[in-house]
Amino acid sequence: MTNPYAHTVEPLDPQKPDHKFFNLRKLKDPRYEQLPFSIRVLLESAVRNCDQFLVKQDDVEKILNWKVTQSQTVEVPFRPARVILQDFTGVPAVVDFAAMRDAVKKLQGDPEKINPVCPADLVIDHSIQVDFNRKSDSLQKNQDLEFERNRERFEFLKWGSKAFRNMRIIPPGSGIVHQVNLEYLARVVFDQDGFYYPDSLVGTDSHTTMIDGLGVLGWGVGGIEAEAVMLGQPISMVLPEVIGYRLLGTPDKYITSTDIVLTVTKHLRQVGVVGKFVEFFGPGVAQLSIADRATIANMCPEYGATAAFFPVDQISIQYLKQTGRDMEKLSYIEKYLKAVGMFRDYSNTAQDPQFTQVVELDLTTVEPCCSGPKRPHDRVSVAEMKKDFETCLVAKQGFKGFQVSPDRCDVQVPFQFNGAEYSLAHGSVVIAAITSCTNTSNPSVMLGAGLLAQKAVQAGLTVKPYIKTSLSPGSGVVTYYLKESGVMDFLSQLGFEVVGYGCMTCIGNSGPLPEPVVEAITQGDLVAAGVLSGNRNFEGRVHPNTRANYLASPPLVIAYAIAGTVRIDFEKQPLAVNSEGKEVYLRDIWPTREEIQAVERQFVIPAMFKEVYEKVEKVNERWNSLKAPSDKLYTWDPNSTYIKSPPFFDGLTRELQTPKPITDAYVLLNLGDSVTTDHISPAGNIARNSSAARYLTSRGLTAREFNSYGSRRGNDAVMARGTFANIRLFNKFINKQSPTTIYLPTGETLDVFDAAEKYQQAGHPLLILAGKEYGSGSSRDWAAKGPFLLGIKAVLAESYERIHRSNLVGMGVIPLEYLPGDSAESLGLSGRERYTVMIPPLLKPRMTVDIKLDTGKTFQARMRFDTDVELTYFHHGGILNYMIRKMSEN
């Protein structure tokens, strides 16, 4: 088939006629100039792939007609230019690929067809933990332990880099995937054999959206959807609404990008942007650096949007220069984007496209803030922190409540640490972590933290030694400029030593707290606090012993560490009293934006980025020395507790099975609102009394060798047992936080896995009842794979977060949604009924189906298969089954 838009191809440079691109402006269609810039990227993808399967000429017409079709559930395909992965999601992806090769071979196909057809970059950043801190050798010790724990996983990934074409591994110790993507991997414009097109991507991590801050359209997907993209399958998506977010004004000199993003997050959660694109525009955007924009784009999952796009402008080009990108390529990037109308001048209102809806924020109104204690969008101004925490202490158990008895609010628990006497109370800070790609990618907040540390040390301030402090930069460049600018020594003096280059505390790899601290928290049943410069603070995520967790800018992390409590009003109370008896207030040591920018201009230079990234793939000697087999088919080790062939494709045949009704299903769990993927499939420590722990113990492992759930994602036996194993899971059957449920046939209370196993042995299908925002948080595909392995056939919820719904579809689990106005409460559902879901032979996207109860009651719900392609996946039993059958065709 010939591409019908071939007539729009022209040379980018008349001097180089072999360098070409689709010039969509040659269509002379006025609708193009009205499209949001993010939709123009979708359009270019459709035009470029018009001669390939699943992309038709009328798809282009649908996108051009976006103004009319955006709210009509119009399905369009999108083929991203590349895929990024991190190791927690990358290991199971490579496991799936290895198992898919085996399955294709069994069906007499060519197993090497299972291979990425687009660039796939995997950055190892999720494995390192904060086992050691506050010492100059902490980094080395943590990295040594990381390799000791994860050697088998790393050898497996190294095999993958050899066995599969187009797969590149960025070794451990290099940084956090999104920061490495921003500083190094991002192309902005692809040059493939002299043909130019916009960089775009999907990633197996929800914060992939960080790259939108550089003008590269990207978002997070589940691992199974990413695997299909790597195998050449376009993403089938509903053409999104685009919310225009106008930024006005200039931030106050004391405001950080963290304050801005936490304000935006709360605002957009109130607006309601789930499943939509957000595109930023207005004169205020020009006041933000690329690092500031990347911070705002990074937390896109926390406000619920699919993408948070900042079109490329001159500041973007300056950032590419600052980070050492090739100058010749930069000239083509700018020339191409201007030619196709994708280069933005934020001060030119004539360039403003049409949006579905416009909302705005005046940056002058932003004030210093944190978010917490349990959700990223629960913003609290710093001035209100003390009052807000004390209100939460006594409030009813919930997102803003701990239900502490009023007579216990001021309890003090004394303890000894390193021979000295201390005490803890509600609100005492026990973890203070400068962590996460959200903030460590931004020189302004990192240097701001360094300058604040310098002033604090010079004022005679210290951090109590029992507080677990840490600094985990997102790339080696950060350490470089902190040292060169002279602030690293001051950070170290306050306990903020570099402990590793990875996600660490932000994903729950915070390591153990000192035993006396844990005993004091337990003895007093204290609501201890963690303060981190991360992007998530869901219950049970950061650390089991910190029930209150606040997201804050790196300078504020240090401030709360010095104060030792979140029960402080910085305006009225001093941070501390120094050894001379002088009261020191936060305002005395807080650096201004001008101070920070002066240091940044001097010390954040292109040579740093070039030096770090020229050797990033080869500098890790441990990685270089790893041995890995070179066979195209993986040889599974039956004794491994890390890497195991999954059962997803057992018994798979070429023939499709007709979907059948779900008959007399029991409800495994009855859940409420905002159940996160952390609740469904935790990533942190494996509790010693859990089903997963019992399994690992039966395989001869000690508790010290358990590692984390995240590191075990290559082993389905561990991950199935870890499903719904979060200690903060609130199950209405139990009416408390516990990773247990009731086995309804007998009334026994069991661990969730043990109950599911009994249901499966008895041949009973299972269902989950849930409220709003089911599956919010991380993109982890095990939050769908795990329920599938437990025998869960469907989830019935009031609403879903985008990525998790797609993951359920990808595993063949039916996402059912209550009709508007309905809920478990309004329908009088207790969860103790048995449910039959009628599935008609002819299915259509978003159709309603009948659900019959054993009580005689019948109601309707919507099947959230949103596109015809998703229904195709369902008929195949999931997206990977579909791809195996497709790849097995001769």
Side-chain angles (χ1 to χ4, degrees):
M1 174 182 169
T2 303
N3 191 312
Y5 296 94
H7 69 281
T8 69
V9 174
E10 62 180 38
L12 184 61
D13 184 342
Q15 307 300 316
K16 296 182 178 181
D18 56 334
H19 287 223
K20 299 178 181 179
F21 71 108
F22 280 103
N23 188 350
L24 302 183
R25 284 179 154 173
K26 285 185 75 173
L27 296 174
K28 299 192 184 318
D29 192 319
R31 292 176 296 177
Y32 180 77
E33 305 297 336
Q34 297 175 348
L35 289 177
F37 283 61
S38 50
I39 299 299
R40 296 179 199 186
V41 179
L42 294 183
L43 177 64
E44 198 283 337
S45 168
V47 167
R48 180 164 34 90
N49 293 295
C50 236
D51 55 349
Q52 299 185 34
F53 71 97
L54 258 182
V55 186
K56 304 176 287 293
Q57 187 170 348
D58 64 342
D59 290 323
V60 175
E61 185 63 24
K62 291 175 188 174
I63 299 173
L64 274 171
N65 212 31
W66 171 83
K67 181 181 177 183
V68 175
T69 60
Q70 59 178 298
S71 59
Q72 297 177 359
T73 320
V74 173
E75 177 183 355
V76 295
F78 174 54
R79 191 186 301 275
R82 59 192 176 96
V83 174
I84 61 168
L85 310 96
Q86 36 88 342
D87 56 302
F88 269 18
T89 51
V91 167
V94 178
V95 166
D96 286 348
F97 271 15
M100 289 171 77
R101 279 192 170 178
D102 292 343
V104 169
K105 186 179 181 183
K106 286 178 184 175
L107 295 178
Q108 283 76 53
D110 178 5
E112 290 198 44
K113 282 187 177 179
I114 301 296
N115 195 89
V117 298
C118 66
D121 296 311
L122 191 157
V123 180
I124 299 175
D125 63 1
H126 271 52
S127 298
I128 192 165
Q129 301 184 35
V130 191
D131 289 285
F132 300 94
N133 68 310
R134 283 186 172 255
K135 298 284 175 54
S136 59
D137 61 353
S138 297
L139 172 62
Q140 188 64 52
K141 284 184 172 181
N142 287 328
Q143 289 180 334
D144 289 345
L145 200 49
E146 175 189 22
F147 258 81
E148 179 187 326
R149 287 173 172 149
N150 297 284
R151 175 176 290 275
E152 187 180 342
R153 297 173 62 244
F154 292 169
E155 287 172 344
F156 177 69
L157 288 176
K158 198 157 192 180
W159 167 79
S161 68
K162 292 180 178 180
F164 300 103
R165 299 183 302 277
N166 290 325
M167 183 172 284
R168 171 171 52 175
I169 308 289
I170 305 297
S174 303
I176 302 174
V177 57
H178 308 305
Q179 189 161 338
V180 174
N181 190 24
L182 187 74
E183 295 176 352
Y184 175 59
L185 297 174
R187 282 77 156 175
V188 181
V189 171
F190 256 83
D191 173 5
Q192 185 173 14
D193 302 323
F195 194 89
Y196 293 93
Y197 54 94
D199 188 3
S200 60
L201 71 150
V202 291
T204 59
D205 188 283
S206 54
H207 294 105
T208 298
T209 51
M210 182 169 177
I211 202 63
D212 291 350
L214 186 56
V216 176
L217 184 63
W219 59 84
V221 296
I224 43 186
E225 193 169 7
E227 290 162 35
V229 170
M230 287 189 273
L231 294 175
Q233 180 76 355
I235 287 177
S236 172
M237 62 184 294
V238 174
L239 195 62
E241 297 182 10
V242 182
I243 306 301
Y245 200 95
R246 183 188 287 117
L247 293 175
L248 306 168
T250 302
D252 182 83
K253 63 181 181 179
Y254 294 110
I255 292 300
T256 69
S257 57
T258 315
D259 302 320
I260 297 171
V261 71
L262 296 180
T263 303
V264 169
T265 298
K266 181 177 181 179
H267 183 198
L268 285 175
R269 268 291 171 187
Q270 293 168 338
V271 171
V273 292
V274 172
K276 303 174 185 179
F277 284 6
V278 174
E279 186 167 308
F280 293 84
F281 74 110
V285 178
Q287 304 298 316
L288 303 176
S289 68
I290 293 303
D292 291 339
R293 300 176 195 180
T295 298
I296 295 169
N298 177 283
M299 287 192 70
C300 175
E302 281 64 58
Y303 41 87
T306 300
F309 194 64
F310 288 83
V312 174
D313 69 344
Q314 203 59 52
I315 293 175
S316 314
I317 301 299
Q318 290 168 6
Y319 176 82
L320 294 172
K321 290 177 183 175
Q322 182 190 35
T323 51
R325 269 40 177 238
D326 182 84
M327 292 302 290
E328 184 179 359
K329 288 182 180 177
L330 291 187
S331 66
Y332 283 113
I333 288 171
E334 187 168 352
K335 191 176 293 185
Y336 167 78
L337 292 173
K338 286 181 174 177
V340 294
M342 295 186 195
F343 195 86
R344 192 71 163 95
D345 177 356
Y346 287 101
S347 64
N348 182 1
T349 56
Q351 283 189 7
D352 292 353
Q354 294 186 338
F355 295 109
T356 309
Q357 176 187 356
V358 172
V359 294
E360 69 180 38
L361 173 68
D362 184 346
L363 294 172
T364 61
T365 65
V366 176
E367 55 187 13
C369 57
C370 301
S371 277
K374 302 181 185 182
R375 294 191 300 185
H377 52 282
D378 289 332
R379 175 189 164 278
V380 187
S381 72
V382 171
E384 295 291 321
M385 267 287 283
K386 180 180 180 181
K387 178 182 175 183
D388 187 82
F389 178 82
E390 291 176 347
T391 301
C392 290
L393 261 187
V394 296
K396 182 182 176 182
Q397 181 72 39
F399 298 122
K400 294 287 286 185
F402 297 103
Q403 208 161 333
V404 172
S405 172
D407 63 348
R408 302 246 342 133
C409 286
D410 296 317
V411 66
Q412 296 273 336
V413 181
F415 69 99
Q416 287 215 329
F417 182 77
N418 289 346
E421 187 83 18
Y422 300 96
S423 67
L424 290 181
H426 294 298
S428 289
V429 174
V430 295
I431 290 177
I434 298 176
T435 181
S436 168
C437 51
T438 310
N439 285 289
T440 72
S441 60
N442 194 328
S444 67
V445 293
M446 295 303 289
L447 288 167
L451 290 171
L452 184 139
Q454 180 179 12
K455 293 182 179 187
V457 170
Q458 290 169 346
L461 304 185
T462 60
V463 174
K464 293 180 177 67
Y466 63 81
I467 296 176
K468 188 158 192 180
T469 49
S470 61
L471 168 58
S472 48
S475 81
V477 175
V478 178
T479 309
Y480 204 144
Y481 65 65
L482 290 177
K483 286 182 176 178
E484 290 295 307
S485 61
V487 297
M488 189 68 237
D489 286 344
F490 298 102
L491 287 163
S492 299
Q493 288 180 59
L494 292 181
F496 290 90
E497 289 277 4
V498 173
V499 294
Y501 296 94
C503 302
M504 304 190 89
T505 302
C506 186
I507 60 166
N509 285 359
S510 43
L513 288 174
E515 198 57 41
V517 171
V518 174
E519 289 173 0
I521 293 171
T522 305
Q523 178 187 335
D525 193 21
L526 297 178
V527 180
V531 184
L532 64 154
S533 64
N535 45 45
R536 293 211 172 116
N537 54 349
F538 301 131
E539 287 184 281
R541 178 184 176 93
V542 175
H543 194 281
N545 296 114
T546 56
R547 288 161 63 189
N549 295 283
Y550 288 93
L551 308 181
S553 67
L556 277 176
V557 170
I558 296 176
Y560 280 110
I562 294 169
T565 180
V566 296
R567 297 172 79 170
I568 182 172
D569 183 338
F570 287 131
E571 280 298 309
K572 299 176 182 175
Q573 297 172 260
L575 265 181
V577 178
N578 66 17
S579 58
E580 298 173 359
K582 180 184 176 183
E583 292 184 341
V584 180
Y585 286 80
L586 181 57
R587 58 180 171 267
D588 299 331
I589 61 172
W590 192 271
T592 66
R593 184 176 281 256
E594 289 78 12
E595 289 178 82
I596 296 166
Q597 288 174 342
V599 177
E600 183 177 350
R601 281 192 295 270
Q602 183 176 354
F603 293 104
V604 184
I605 57 176
M608 288 181 177
F609 293 88
K610 286 183 177 178
E611 183 177 336
V612 168
Y613 284 113
E614 276 175 355
K615 56 190 180 184
V616 70
E617 294 175 49
K618 300 169 187 170
V619 72
N620 192 316
E621 291 301 327
R622 289 190 199 82
W623 175 263
N624 297 340
S625 65
L626 285 178
K627 305 297 182 192
S630 55
D631 302 338
K632 297 299 182 183
L633 294 176
Y634 187 69
T635 303
W636 305 96
D637 178 0
N639 296 316
S640 174
T641 57
Y642 278 106
I643 307 298
K644 178 177 175 289
S645 181
F648 305 135
F649 316 121
D650 292 352
L652 183 68
T653 64
R654 288 180 181 269
E655 296 75 31
L656 296 187
Q657 304 296 314
T658 303
K660 298 176 183 177
I662 301 170
T663 305
D664 284 335
Y666 280 99
V667 173
L668 180 63
L669 292 159
N670 188 359
L671 307 172
D673 294 342
S674 298
V675 173
T676 72
T677 52
D678 281 281
H679 289 117
I680 304 169
S681 184
N685 293 333
I686 298 173
R688 297 185 183 191
N689 61 348
S690 65
S691 295
R694 291 193 289 275
Y695 169 79
L696 292 171
T697 301
S698 74
R699 299 299 300 270
L701 274 66
T702 64
R704 183 178 176 275
E705 297 170 305
F706 287 172
N707 209 333
S708 65
Y709 281 115
S711 70
R712 297 280 177 184
R713 287 183 185 166
N715 186 314
D716 62 273
V718 176
M719 296 309 297
R721 287 164 173 80
T723 303
F724 295 109
N726 191 313
I727 61 171
R728 301 299 179 196
L729 179 74
F730 189 90
N731 178 9
K732 294 179 184 178
F733 285 158
I734 305 295
N735 201 29
K736 65 178 181 179
Q737 291 183 330
S738 171
T740 58
T741 193
I742 294 176
Y743 179 64
L744 294 174
T746 64
E748 296 172 84
T749 298
L750 300 171
D751 285 349
V752 174
F753 173 81
D754 296 337
E757 191 173 46
K758 290 193 73 167
Y759 281 120
Q760 286 187 298
Q761 289 169 351
H764 298 309
L766 294 172
L767 199 74
I768 297 286
L769 295 185
K772 301 179 183 69
E773 298 174 356
Y774 182 74
S776 55
S778 300
S779 67
R780 58 193 65 162
D781 52 344
W782 268 109
K785 288 177 174 176
F788 170 83
L789 292 177
L790 295 187
I792 293 165
K793 304 301 181 184
V795 177
L796 176 57
E798 291 180 56
S799 65
Y800 294 87
E801 290 291 279
R802 174 187 60 84
I803 298 175
H804 185 63
R805 187 201 64 82
S806 295
N807 281 339
L808 292 173
V809 171
M811 286 307 299
V813 177
I814 302 175
L816 296 168
E817 192 169 272
Y818 292 104
L819 298 183
D822 284 353
S823 66
E825 288 73 21
S826 71
L827 294 171
L829 306 179
S830 69
R832 295 175 182 270
E833 311 87 352
R834 296 183 72 176
Y835 292 68
T836 295
V837 181
M838 306 306 296
I839 301 178
L842 185 61
L843 298 178
K844 297 179 181 178
R846 298 180 66 88
M847 73 182 298
T848 56
V849 295
D850 291 329
I851 300 177
K852 298 181 179 180
L853 308 182
D854 62 344
T855 61
K857 183 182 181 70
T858 298
F859 64 97
Q860 290 190 317
R862 190 176 307 282
M863 292 180 76
R864 284 295 310 276
F865 298 119
D866 288 355
T867 67
D868 287 321
V869 172
E870 289 186 347
L871 281 173
T872 300
Y873 296 155
F874 175 63
H875 283 294
H876 280 266
I879 191 170
L880 299 185
N881 291 353
Y882 168 82
M883 295 307 299
I884 288 172
R885 290 189 175 105
K886 182 179 178 61
M887 295 297 176
S888 299
E889 296 170 356
N890 295 323

